[in-house]
Amino acid sequence: MEKVIGIDLGTTNSCVAILENGSPVVIPNRGGYKTTPSMVGITEAGKRLVGHIAKRQAITNAENTVFAAKRLIGRKWTSPQVKNAVATSSYRIVEGPHQDVRIKLRDKDYSVPEVSAMVLQEMRVIAEDYLGQPVSKAVITVPAYFNDNQRQATRDAGEIAGLDVIRIINEPTAAALSYGFDRKEPRTIAVYDLGGGTFDISVLEIGEHGVFKVVATAGDTFLGGEDFDARIIDWLVTGFQKEHNIDLRQDRMALQRLKDAAEKAKCELSGVRETEINLPFIISSGKNEALHLQRSLNRSTLEELCADLVERTVDICRQTLEDASLEKKEVEEVVLVGGMTRMPKIQAEVQAFFEREPCKGVHPDEVVALGAAIQAAALVSDKQEMILLDVTPHALGILTIGNQFEELIPQNTTVPTTRNKIFTTSRDHQTAVKILVMQGDSKASAEDNEILGEFVLTGLRRAPKGQVEIEVTFEINADGIVSVLAKDLETGLEQSIQVTASSGLTRDEVKAMIDNAQDYMVERRSSEEFEEIRQEAVKLSVEIERLLPQVEQIVATSDFGRDAIDKAKAIVGKAKISIERKNIGELKEHLEQMSRTLRMFKGVVAKG
Ligand code: AMP
């Protein structure tokens, strides 16, 4: 059966998994790590670096290294979150041609899906290397709270990476699938997911016969580990400013070093009570002397700095239970997901809120990818072993007169679903109505919601206002695709659209990006092949050159021997030239001849 991978495309780290012999397993990368930093860097020579290798050079190449691209994906240039990122980021975020967001690396502007695609491509390569076969299909996870545009942008990223994204599923749902994989008893669980950039809480009912039903979900796509790091950075910057009257934020490289040190300190404080932050030569003073930053940070100061962030997650949990009309005691298990849940204060607050100790049996960094792999396998299997019933994370509705948001499908409605409502005309002899489809949770100010699409129903029968009745029907299918139908109830006249979310990219742009990504892969695979052959050629020439003096001594008296030695020297020389010229075809040919020469040399030495 075709292998379909599950990818957790995280803000900070990504992880890929697959179902093997009936169990989900995480695939380690070449370095042996089970997660790969979601980081992309472009070197001065234009070389693309992804993952650990990008992270390692982030400090010295801060302007051209992207992290946390997920915070920007599917967002409009004008959104407050993007404005915030522009102000605080060490890389350059610029406006794209469709009010979208682009990232400037060296002299090229990349769209956010393109950057995410580079990470996905890396995950795909990790899987292909492990499986020894090409992989073309994937299930990718997104925060439950992502809106349709963010989901579409993630799909685009998958497509650019050469993957057929067979389903996008919510991270907490994936975590629940993984949690419930081997557990047969029905129960209600809460998944508390605090990662690098986003927070999600979902409540799910795991029923009999593999039914997973999401009861409620909520979250904040701009609340995560990065905010905790930012608090430490603020604390360090303010302290430094007081001491030296210098603003470290003005220096991109210093900022990147601070970020690194802040994250490191935060992680360390999950294990120890106090840690040293040491950044020698962080900046030079006005008098050209090097200044160092050295401070110790203890766990309780960190907890004070971040208290409101933790509280915000608990408030969202409280609201979610309320929305689902659930009592705390009805939640039978709490599953922690995301790297940030290693912080003792978070574990303590979650335990205090839910009044139960969180489940220890799942790995917070791997559980989402494992769940994605389970779903991936289920989607291509012909056995119906699992049913996933997810909910809409945001309300869907239309904009009506007076900028009112009229909700048709409330938040947390199980999908697939269909809902309708009857509206009447607002003007005398009105012959057309414009239907503006919106998604969001703000009833008071409709403009805070995301516009998903619009269409016009024309040819209405002329009548006094309020007398023409129009039925508007919303439908969401299992893939989360929204269709809207408007119908004049008297004449039967109707008009419908399928709401296609917009990632901010046109189809042509996506196609061009797919081509670029394919070219990159061909180049990468061929440079990997060249490197393998080069290493083999170097090994053979070293061996030949090592045996050369002995062979010369043994066969020097015969013409045949001298000829063989000249040929051996010549082929080693040719191989070196081919390596310099990076000529893979030539080198392959030389490789064969060098193997033969080495065999002969070994034979001569053994006999001699
Ligand atoms: P994720 O998006 O799930 O990979 O989570 C990444 C976030 O978890 C980052 O902000 C990390 O700094 C944070 N993180 C990872 N390990 C720890 C730890 N031991 N203690 C606190 N935070 C951590």
Side-chain angles (χ1 to χ4, degrees), residues 10-13 193-197 224-226 229 263 266-268 270 337-343 364-365:
T11 309
T12 322
N13 293 299
D193 179 357
L194 187 61
E226 301 262 337
D229 302 346
E263 189 189 358
K266 175 191 72 179
C267 294
E268 279 170 5
S270 293
V337 181
M340 275 309 301
T341 59
R342 292 215 183 82
M343 187 172 169
D365 297 329

Side-chain angles (χ1 to χ4, degrees), residues 517-534:
Q518 265 169 359
D519 291 348
Y520 166 80
M521 263 336 273
V522 170
E523 222 177 280
R524 173 172 168 164
R525 285 292 191 206
S526 84
S527 75
E528 279 172 358
E529 191 189 6
F530 175 75
E531 183 51 28
E532 251 173 51
I533 294 172
R534 187 193 68 83

